[in-house]
Coordinates of all heavy atoms in Angstrom, one line a residue:
M1 N -84.1 44.4 -163.9 CA -85.0 45.6 -163.7 C -84.3 46.8 -164.2 O -83.1 47.0 -163.8 CB -85.4 45.8 -162.2 CG -86.3 47.0 -162.0 SD -86.7 47.2 -160.3 CE -87.6 45.8 -159.8
S2 N -84.8 47.6 -165.0 CA -84.2 48.7 -165.6 C -84.3 49.9 -164.5 O -85.1 49.9 -163.7 CB -84.7 49.1 -166.9 OG -86.1 49.7 -166.7
Y3 N -83.4 50.8 -164.8 CA -83.3 52.0 -163.9 C -84.7 52.7 -163.8 O -85.1 53.1 -162.7 CB -82.2 53.0 -164.3 CG -82.1 54.1 -163.4 CD1 -81.5 54.0 -162.2 CD2 -82.7 55.3 -163.8 CE1 -81.3 55.2 -161.4 CE2 -82.5 56.5 -163.0 CZ -81.9 56.4 -161.8 OH -81.7 57.5 -161.0
S4 N -85.3 52.8 -164.9 CA -86.6 53.6 -165.0 C -87.7 52.9 -164.2 O -88.7 53.5 -163.9 CB -87.1 53.7 -166.4 OG -87.2 52.6 -167.0
D5 N -87.5 51.6 -163.9 CA -88.5 50.9 -163.1 C -88.4 51.1 -161.5 O -89.2 50.8 -160.8 CB -88.4 49.3 -163.3 CG -88.8 49.0 -164.8 OD1 -89.6 49.8 -165.3 OD2 -88.3 47.9 -165.2
F6 N -87.3 51.7 -161.2 CA -87.1 52.0 -159.7 C -87.9 53.2 -159.2 O -87.8 54.3 -159.9 CB -85.7 52.2 -159.4 CG -84.8 50.9 -159.3 CD1 -84.2 50.4 -160.5 CD2 -84.7 50.2 -158.1 CE1 -83.5 49.2 -160.5 CE2 -84.0 49.0 -158.1 CZ -83.4 48.5 -159.2
T7 N -88.6 53.1 -158.2 CA -89.2 54.2 -157.5 C -89.0 54.0 -156.0 O -88.7 52.8 -155.6 CB -90.7 54.3 -157.8 OG1 -91.4 53.1 -157.2 CG2 -91.1 54.4 -159.2
L8 N -89.1 55.1 -155.3 CA -88.8 54.9 -153.8 C -89.9 54.0 -153.2 O -89.5 53.2 -152.4 CB -88.9 56.3 -153.2 CG -88.7 56.4 -151.7 CD1 -87.3 55.8 -151.4 CD2 -88.7 57.8 -151.2
N9 N -91.1 54.2 -153.6 CA -92.1 53.3 -153.1 C -91.9 51.8 -153.4 O -92.0 50.9 -152.5 CB -93.5 53.6 -153.6 CG -94.0 55.0 -153.1 OD1 -93.6 55.3 -152.0 ND2 -94.9 55.6 -153.8
R10 N -91.4 51.6 -154.6 CA -91.2 50.1 -155.0 C -90.0 49.6 -154.3 O -90.1 48.4 -153.7 CB -91.0 50.0 -156.5 CG -90.8 48.6 -156.9 CD -91.0 48.3 -158.3 NE -90.8 46.9 -158.6 CZ -90.8 46.4 -159.9 NH1 -91.0 47.2 -160.9 NH2 -90.7 45.2 -160.1
V11 N -88.9 50.3 -154.2 CA -87.8 49.8 -153.6 C -88.0 49.6 -152.1 O -87.6 48.5 -151.5 CB -86.6 50.8 -153.8 CG1 -85.4 50.4 -152.9 CG2 -86.2 50.8 -155.2
T12 N -88.7 50.5 -151.5 CA -89.1 50.4 -150.1 C -89.9 49.1 -149.8 O -89.6 48.4 -148.8 CB -89.9 51.7 -149.6 OG1 -89.1 52.8 -149.8 CG2 -90.3 51.5 -148.1
K13 N -90.8 48.9 -150.7 CA -91.6 47.6 -150.5 C -90.8 46.3 -150.8 O -90.8 45.4 -150.0 CB -92.8 47.7 -151.4 CG -93.8 46.5 -151.3 CD -95.0 46.7 -152.3 CE -95.8 45.4 -152.2 NZ -96.8 45.4 -153.3
D14 N -90.1 46.4 -151.9 CA -89.4 45.2 -152.4 C -88.3 44.7 -151.4 O -88.0 43.5 -151.2 CB -88.8 45.4 -153.8 CG -89.8 45.5 -154.9 OD1 -91.0 45.1 -154.6 OD2 -89.5 45.7 -156.0
F15 N -87.6 45.7 -150.8 CA -86.5 45.4 -149.9 C -86.9 45.6 -148.5 O -86.1 45.6 -147.6 CB -85.4 46.3 -150.2 CG -84.7 46.0 -151.6 CD1 -85.0 46.7 -152.7 CD2 -83.9 44.9 -151.7 CE1 -84.5 46.4 -154.0 CE2 -83.4 44.5 -152.9 CZ -83.7 45.3 -154.1
N16 N -88.2 45.8 -148.2 CA -88.8 45.9 -146.8 C -87.9 47.0 -146.0 O -87.5 46.8 -145.0 CB -88.7 44.6 -146.0 CG -89.5 44.6 -144.8 OD1 -90.5 45.3 -144.7 ND2 -89.2 43.8 -143.8
L17 N -87.8 48.1 -146.6 CA -87.1 49.3 -146.0 C -88.0 50.2 -145.3 O -89.2 50.3 -145.5 CB -86.3 50.1 -147.2 CG -85.3 49.3 -148.0 CD1 -84.8 50.1 -149.1 CD2 -84.3 48.7 -147.1
T18 N -87.5 50.9 -144.4 CA -88.1 51.9 -143.6 C -87.5 53.2 -143.9 O -86.2 53.3 -143.6 CB -88.2 51.7 -142.1 OG1 -88.8 50.4 -141.9 CG2 -89.0 52.7 -141.4
I19 N -88.2 54.3 -144.3 CA -87.6 55.5 -144.5 C -87.8 56.3 -143.3 O -88.9 56.5 -142.7 CB -88.4 56.4 -145.6 CG1 -88.4 55.4 -146.9 CG2 -87.8 57.7 -145.8 CD1 -87.1 55.2 -147.5
A20 N -86.7 56.9 -142.7 CA -86.7 57.6 -141.5 C -86.2 59.0 -141.8 O -85.0 59.3 -142.1 CB -85.7 57.0 -140.4
E21 N -87.1 60.0 -141.8 CA -86.8 61.3 -142.1 C -86.7 62.1 -140.8 O -87.5 62.0 -139.9 CB -87.9 62.0 -143.0 CG -88.0 61.3 -144.3 CD -89.1 62.0 -145.2 OE1 -89.3 63.2 -145.1 OE2 -89.6 61.3 -146.1
R22 N -85.6 62.9 -140.8 CA -85.4 63.8 -139.7 C -85.3 65.3 -140.2 O -84.7 65.5 -141.1 CB -84.1 63.4 -138.9 CG -84.2 62.0 -138.3 CD -82.9 61.7 -137.6 NE -81.9 62.7 -137.4 CZ -80.7 62.4 -137.0 NH1 -80.3 61.2 -136.8 NH2 -79.8 63.4 -136.9
S23 N -85.9 66.2 -139.4 CA -85.8 67.5 -139.8 C -84.8 68.2 -138.8 O -84.6 67.7 -137.7 CB -87.1 68.2 -139.8 OG -87.7 68.1 -138.5
N24 N -84.3 69.3 -139.2 CA -83.4 70.1 -138.4 C -82.2 69.4 -137.9 O -81.8 69.6 -136.8 CB -84.2 70.8 -137.2 CG -85.3 71.6 -137.6 OD1 -85.2 72.4 -138.6 ND2 -86.4 71.5 -137.0
I25 N -81.6 68.6 -138.8 CA -80.4 67.8 -138.3 C -79.2 68.7 -138.2 O -78.1 68.2 -137.6 CB -80.2 66.6 -139.4 CG1 -79.8 67.1 -140.7 CG2 -81.3 65.7 -139.4 CD1 -79.3 66.0 -141.7
F26 N -79.2 69.9 -138.7 CA -78.0 70.7 -138.6 C -78.3 72.0 -137.6 O -77.4 72.9 -137.7 CB -77.6 71.3 -140.0 CG -77.2 70.2 -140.9 CD1 -78.0 69.9 -142.1 CD2 -76.0 69.5 -140.8 CE1 -77.6 68.9 -142.9 CE2 -75.7 68.5 -141.6 CZ -76.5 68.2 -142.7
T27 N -79.2 71.9 -136.8 CA -79.5 73.0 -135.9 C -78.3 73.3 -135.0 O -78.2 74.4 -134.5 CB -80.8 72.8 -135.1 OG1 -80.6 71.5 -134.3 CG2 -82.0 72.7 -136.0
E28 N -77.5 72.3 -134.6 CA -76.4 72.6 -133.7 C -75.1 72.9 -134.3 O -74.0 73.0 -133.7 CB -76.3 71.3 -132.8 CG -77.5 71.0 -131.9 CD -77.3 69.9 -131.0 OE1 -76.2 69.4 -130.7 OE2 -78.4 69.3 -130.5
V29 N -75.2 73.0 -135.6 CA -73.9 73.4 -136.4 C -73.9 74.8 -136.6 O -74.8 75.4 -137.2 CB -73.9 72.6 -137.8 CG1 -72.7 73.0 -138.6 CG2 -73.9 71.1 -137.5
S30 N -72.8 75.4 -136.2 CA -72.7 76.9 -136.3 C -72.4 77.3 -137.9 O -71.8 76.5 -138.6 CB -71.6 77.5 -135.4 OG -70.4 76.9 -135.7
E31 N -72.9 78.5 -138.2 CA -72.7 78.9 -139.5 C -71.3 79.3 -139.8 O -70.6 79.9 -138.9 CB -73.7 80.2 -139.8 CG -73.6 80.6 -141.2 CD -74.7 81.8 -141.4 OE1 -75.9 81.5 -141.0 OE2 -74.3 82.8 -141.9
L32 N -70.8 79.0 -140.9 CA -69.4 79.4 -141.3 C -69.4 80.3 -142.6 O -70.3 80.2 -143.4 CB -68.5 78.2 -141.7 CG -68.4 77.2 -140.7 CD1 -67.7 75.9 -141.2 CD2 -67.6 77.7 -139.5
T33 N -68.4 81.2 -142.6 CA -68.2 82.0 -143.8 C -67.4 81.2 -144.8 O -66.3 80.8 -144.4 CB -67.5 83.3 -143.5 OG1 -68.3 84.0 -142.5 CG2 -67.4 84.1 -144.7
P34 N -67.9 81.0 -146.1 CA -67.0 80.3 -147.0 C -65.8 81.0 -147.3 O -65.7 82.2 -147.3 CB -67.9 80.2 -148.2 CG -69.1 81.1 -148.0 CD -69.2 81.5 -146.6
S35 N -64.8 80.2 -147.6 CA -63.4 80.8 -148.0 C -63.5 81.5 -149.3 O -64.5 81.3 -150.1 CB -62.4 79.6 -148.1 OG -62.7 78.8 -149.2
D36 N -62.5 82.3 -149.5 CA -62.5 83.0 -150.8 C -62.4 82.1 -152.0 O -63.1 82.3 -153.0 CB -61.3 83.9 -150.9 CG -61.3 85.1 -149.9 OD1 -62.4 85.5 -149.5 OD2 -60.3 85.7 -149.6
F37 N -61.8 80.9 -151.8 CA -61.7 80.0 -152.9 C -63.0 79.4 -153.2 O -63.4 79.2 -154.3 CB -60.7 78.8 -152.5 CG -60.7 77.7 -153.5 CD1 -60.1 77.9 -154.7 CD2 -61.3 76.5 -153.2 CE1 -60.1 76.8 -155.6 CE2 -61.3 75.4 -154.1 CZ -60.7 75.6 -155.3
I38 N -63.8 79.0 -152.2 CA -65.2 78.4 -152.3 C -66.0 79.4 -153.0 O -66.8 79.2 -154.0 CB -65.8 77.9 -151.1 CG1 -65.0 76.8 -150.5 CG2 -67.2 77.6 -151.2 CD1 -65.1 75.5 -151.3
Q39 N -66.0 80.7 -152.5 CA -66.8 81.8 -153.1 C -66.4 81.9 -154.6 O -67.4 82.1 -155.5 CB -66.7 83.0 -152.3 CG -67.2 83.0 -150.9 CD -67.1 84.3 -150.2 OE1 -67.3 85.4 -150.8 NE2 -66.6 84.2 -149.0
E40 N -65.2 82.0 -154.9 CA -64.8 82.1 -156.3 C -65.2 81.0 -157.2 O -65.7 81.2 -158.3 CB -63.3 82.4 -156.4 CG -62.8 82.6 -157.8 CD -61.3 82.9 -157.8 OE1 -60.7 83.1 -156.8 OE2 -60.7 82.7 -158.9
T41 N -65.0 79.8 -156.7 CA -65.3 78.6 -157.4 C -66.9 78.5 -157.7 O -67.3 78.2 -158.8 CB -64.9 77.3 -156.7 OG1 -63.6 77.4 -156.4 CG2 -65.3 76.0 -157.4
L42 N -67.6 78.9 -156.7 CA -69.2 78.9 -156.9 C -69.5 80.0 -157.9 O -70.4 79.8 -158.8 CB -69.8 79.2 -155.6 CG -69.8 77.9 -154.7 CD1 -70.4 78.3 -153.3 CD2 -70.6 76.8 -155.3
R43 N -68.9 81.2 -157.7 CA -69.2 82.3 -158.7 C -68.9 81.9 -160.2 O -69.7 82.2 -161.0 CB -68.4 83.5 -158.3 CG -68.8 84.8 -159.0 CD -68.0 86.0 -158.5 NE -66.6 85.9 -158.2 CZ -66.0 85.8 -157.1 NH1 -66.8 85.8 -156.0 NH2 -64.8 85.6 -157.0
D44 N -67.8 81.2 -160.3 CA -67.4 80.8 -161.7 C -68.1 79.6 -162.2 O -68.4 79.6 -163.4 CB -65.9 80.4 -161.7 CG -65.0 81.6 -161.5 OD1 -65.5 82.8 -161.5 OD2 -63.8 81.5 -161.1
N45 N -68.6 78.7 -161.4 CA -69.2 77.4 -161.9 C -70.7 77.3 -161.7 O -71.4 76.5 -162.3 CB -68.5 76.3 -161.3 CG -67.0 76.2 -161.7 OD1 -66.8 76.0 -162.9 ND2 -66.1 76.5 -160.8
L46 N -71.2 78.0 -160.8 CA -72.7 77.9 -160.5 C -73.6 78.2 -161.7 O -74.5 77.4 -161.9 CB -73.1 78.8 -159.3 CG -74.4 78.5 -158.8 CD1 -74.6 77.1 -158.2 CD2 -74.7 79.5 -157.6
P47 N -73.2 79.2 -162.5 CA -74.1 79.4 -163.7 C -74.2 78.1 -164.7 O -75.2 77.8 -165.1 CB -73.6 80.6 -164.4 CG -72.9 81.4 -163.3 CD -72.4 80.3 -162.4
L48 N -73.0 77.6 -164.8 CA -72.9 76.3 -165.7 C -73.7 75.2 -165.1 O -74.5 74.5 -165.8 CB -71.5 75.9 -165.9 CG -71.3 74.7 -166.7 CD1 -71.8 74.7 -168.1 CD2 -69.8 74.3 -166.7
A49 N -73.6 75.0 -163.8 CA -74.2 73.9 -163.1 C -75.7 74.0 -163.2 O -76.4 73.1 -163.5 CB -73.8 73.7 -161.6
L50 N -76.2 75.3 -162.9 CA -77.6 75.5 -163.0 C -78.2 75.4 -164.4 O -79.3 74.9 -164.5 CB -77.9 76.9 -162.3 CG -77.7 77.0 -160.8 CD1 -77.9 78.5 -160.4 CD2 -78.6 76.1 -160.0
G51 N -77.4 75.9 -165.3 CA -77.8 75.9 -166.7 C -77.9 74.4 -167.3 O -78.7 74.2 -168.2
S52 N -77.2 73.5 -166.7 CA -77.2 72.1 -167.2 C -78.0 71.2 -166.2 O -77.9 70.0 -166.3 CB -75.8 71.6 -167.4 OG -75.0 71.6 -166.2
N53 N -78.6 71.8 -165.2 CA -79.5 71.0 -164.3 C -78.7 70.0 -163.5 O -79.1 68.9 -163.3 CB -80.7 70.4 -165.0 CG -81.6 71.4 -165.4 OD1 -81.8 72.4 -164.8 ND2 -82.2 71.2 -166.6
T54 N -77.5 70.4 -163.2 CA -76.6 69.4 -162.4 C -76.3 69.9 -161.0 O -76.5 71.1 -160.7 CB -75.3 69.2 -163.0 OG1 -74.5 70.4 -163.2 CG2 -75.5 68.4 -164.4

């Protein structure tokens, strides 16, 4: 089966899978301020990532 033949519905049916979705899984995690390194890395690389849809 080629990659393009895979869909979530088909894989779920073929392998008898159950999709369990949970919302708000991070509600108990406190917010953090990103380090200077992370902020700089994102500032430098985010435009490239968004421009190439990655």
Side-chain angles (χ1 to χ4, degrees):
M1 176 184 295
S2 69
Y3 179 79
S4 62
D5 291 333
F6 281 91
T7 64
L8 182 57
N9 288 336
R10 180 163 182 185
V11 170
T12 302
K13 182 180 174 187
D14 289 352
F15 293 99
N16 195 28
L17 301 175
T18 302
I19 304 298
E21 295 183 30
R22 296 179 7 191
S23 60
N24 301 321
I25 63 173
F26 297 110
T27 56
E28 296 181 19
V29 177
S30 59
E31 187 174 309
L32 299 174
T33 302
S35 68
D36 290 340
F37 174 75
I38 293 294
Q39 291 182 48
E40 182 179 346
T41 300
L42 288 172
R43 183 175 49 252
D44 292 346
N45 295 294
L46 192 59
L48 175 62
L50 293 174
S52 60
N53 293 322
T54 60

